[in-house]
């Protein structure tokens, strides 16, 4: 009896690319802090030792993955010769790599300062390329307005990374491009008379709650958003309020997880409270959407998008049952917007309306993360106007 020896298994030539793609998916699904090198190795089908032959550690892998993926998009964009082909290229890339934008947004904070700056510079190049192409079509735009519209366009095209709604591919690309065109054509409101860029509306340091518990919750939001849950200690949070770690535990005896739960539930309930109020004050779906956009824009400008980011970035630190309840709450919240939008635009089916709503919300959540996007006294009004353009509705004139 003879046997056949197939010889040693050859290592795929694109192993490094496979590792990067798997890492991006793992970081998207579970978050950087929860994902281990073993998880990524398993997703690729190799041992952790094999993974370490390519990368010295998880932070290096994250940095390479972020830089490599943004470079892929920049190279694809280099072949676009006008605004329409540029937005189509970004839409196509976004749908081909739906994990990437969330990871770019959420995990850059875990890189070294040098690599953070490098990744953020590449993100700025994406928006700047759109702004430059836009000014060819709309030469009347100021550099500041073109930049804001550039960032808004990139946010809309990246929005599929933040939800799981599916559409046929061609239809999806067409819809994203239509939404991007709506953003590019938006007439931004004129800043109030006597105002100047660089003075941000509603973002000056304000008063803090007298309640120690409330002050701790307010202090925790930007810390968790900037560093991530695992990188923030109870001592860090207490230091912002001026109290000891033991005093923080007095307010949250179960520890940091209890504090995070309070922060996330507060952020979720604040959205619902605003929605119920805006519905009660409205008489038509269009009016309700206008109110929702204005109140949502104001809240994200005030906290620089931190609250919205935490609802995306820190759920992995919740027990599974709590994660599901919080996810259900967010799905239901979007469904309220979808119902209103379909009342205004019955030509949209449910999936199209959901994609459109997510695009508007992603824009509202992402733009305030960069200071230059809120460096105008009418930042919240400008974001609301962009949201109306994405939704494709005309807000009724208010008396």
């Amino acid at each position: 009896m003879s046997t056949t020896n197939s010889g040693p298994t050859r290592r795929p030539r694109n192993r490094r690319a496979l590792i990067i793609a798997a890492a991006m998916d793992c970081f998207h699904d579970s978050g950087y802090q929860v994902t281990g090198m073993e998880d990524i190795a398993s997703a690729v089908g190799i041992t952790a030792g094999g993974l370490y032959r390519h990368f010295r550690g998880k932070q290096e892998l994250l940095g390479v993955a972020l830089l490599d993926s943004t470079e892929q998009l920049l190279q694809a964009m280099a072949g676009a010769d006008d605004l329409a082909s540029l937005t189509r290229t970004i839409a196509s890339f976004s749908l081909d790599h739906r994990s990437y934008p969330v990871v770019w947004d959420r995990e850059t904070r875990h890189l070294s300062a040098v690599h953070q700056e490098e990744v953020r510079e590449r993100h700025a190049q994406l928006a700047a390329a759109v702004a430059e192409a836009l000014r060819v079509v709309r030469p009347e735009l100021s550099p500041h307005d073109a930049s804001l519209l550039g960032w808004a366009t990139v946010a809309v095209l990246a929005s599929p990374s933040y939800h799981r709604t599916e559409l046929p591919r061609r239809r999806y690309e067409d819809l994203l491009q239509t939404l991007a065109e709506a953003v590019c054509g938006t007439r931004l409101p004129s800043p109030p008379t006597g105002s100047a860029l660089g003075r941000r509306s509603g973002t000056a340091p304000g008063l803090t709650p007298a309640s120690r518990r409330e002050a701790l919750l307010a202090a925790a939001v930007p810390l968790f958003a900037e560093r991530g849950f695992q990188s923030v200690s109870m001592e860090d949070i207490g230091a912002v309020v001026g109290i000891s770690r033991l005093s923080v535990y007095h307010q949250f005896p179960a520890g940091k997880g209890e504090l995070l739960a309070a922060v996330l539930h507060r952020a979720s309930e604040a959205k619902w409270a605003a929605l119920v109020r805006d519905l009660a004050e409205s008489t038509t779906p269009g009016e309700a959407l206008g109110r929702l956009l204005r109140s949502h824009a104001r809240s994200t400008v005030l906290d620089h998008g931190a609250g919205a980011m935490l609802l995306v970035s820190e759920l992995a630190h919740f027990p599974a049952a709590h994660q599901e309840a919080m996810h259900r709450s967010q799905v239901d919240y979007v469904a309220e917007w979808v119902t209103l939008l379909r009342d205004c635009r019955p030509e949209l089916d449910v999936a199209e309306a959901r994609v459109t709503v997510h695009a508007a919300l992603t824009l509202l959540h992402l733009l305030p993360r960069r200071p230059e996007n809120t460096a105008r006294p009418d930042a919240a009004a400008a974001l609301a106007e962009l949201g109306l353009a994405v939704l494709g509705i005309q807000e009724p004139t208010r008396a």
Side-chain angles (χ1 to χ4, degrees), residues 93-165:
F93 185 92
S94 179
L95 292 175
D96 284 340
H97 307 282
R98 283 183 75 166
S99 296
Y100 290 8
V102 161
V103 180
W104 296 346
D105 169 37
R106 187 178 67 194
E107 310 301 357
T108 298
R109 59 189 173 164
H110 298 301
L111 299 175
S112 66
V114 172
H115 284 157
Q116 280 186 33
E117 185 59 32
E118 212 174 332
V119 171
R120 286 170 179 155
E121 176 56 32
R122 292 195 182 184
H123 293 168
Q125 290 176 33
L126 302 178
V130 176
E132 182 179 352
L134 181 56
R135 292 194 77 193
V136 173
V137 178
R138 297 183 59 189
E140 80 281 4
L141 288 173
S142 70
H144 292 290
D145 283 356
S147 176
L148 179 60
L149 293 177
W151 280 109
T153 301
V154 170
V156 164
L157 295 172
S159 62
S161 186
Y162 294 82
H163 61 91
R164 298 175 182 174
T165 306

Side-chain angles (χ1 to χ4, degrees), residues 262-278:
V263 165
L264 294 184
H265 283 296
R266 176 65 56 81
S268 179
E269 289 305 314
K271 293 197 309 183
W272 275 104
L275 184 144
V276 171
R277 181 199 65 222
D278 291 335

Side-chain angles (χ1 to χ4, degrees), residues 25 28-29 91 94-103 105-106 154-169 171-173 175-177 179 271 308 311-313 315 327 330-335 338 341 349-363 365-366 390-391:
D25 287 340
H28 175 274
D29 294 342
S94 179
L95 292 175
D96 284 340
H97 307 282
R98 283 183 75 166
S99 296
Y100 290 8
V102 161
V103 180
D105 169 37
R106 187 178 67 194
V154 170
V156 164
L157 295 172
S159 62
S161 186
Y162 294 82
H163 61 91
R164 298 175 182 174
T165 306
E166 297 292 346
L167 284 172
R169 175 56 182 252
R171 190 164 143 217
Y172 212 149
E173 282 190 17
L175 178 55
L176 287 177
Q177 187 156 25
L179 300 178
K271 293 197 309 183
L311 288 170
V312 172
S313 65
L315 280 183
H327 176 69
Q330 293 184 61
V331 169
D332 290 344
Y333 177 77
V334 171
V338 169
L341 180 58
D349 66 25
V350 173
E352 290 169 333
R354 191 177 294 122
V355 168
T356 301
V357 166
H358 275 293
L361 291 175
T362 300
L363 180 155
H365 296 165
L366 293 187
V390 171
L391 296 183

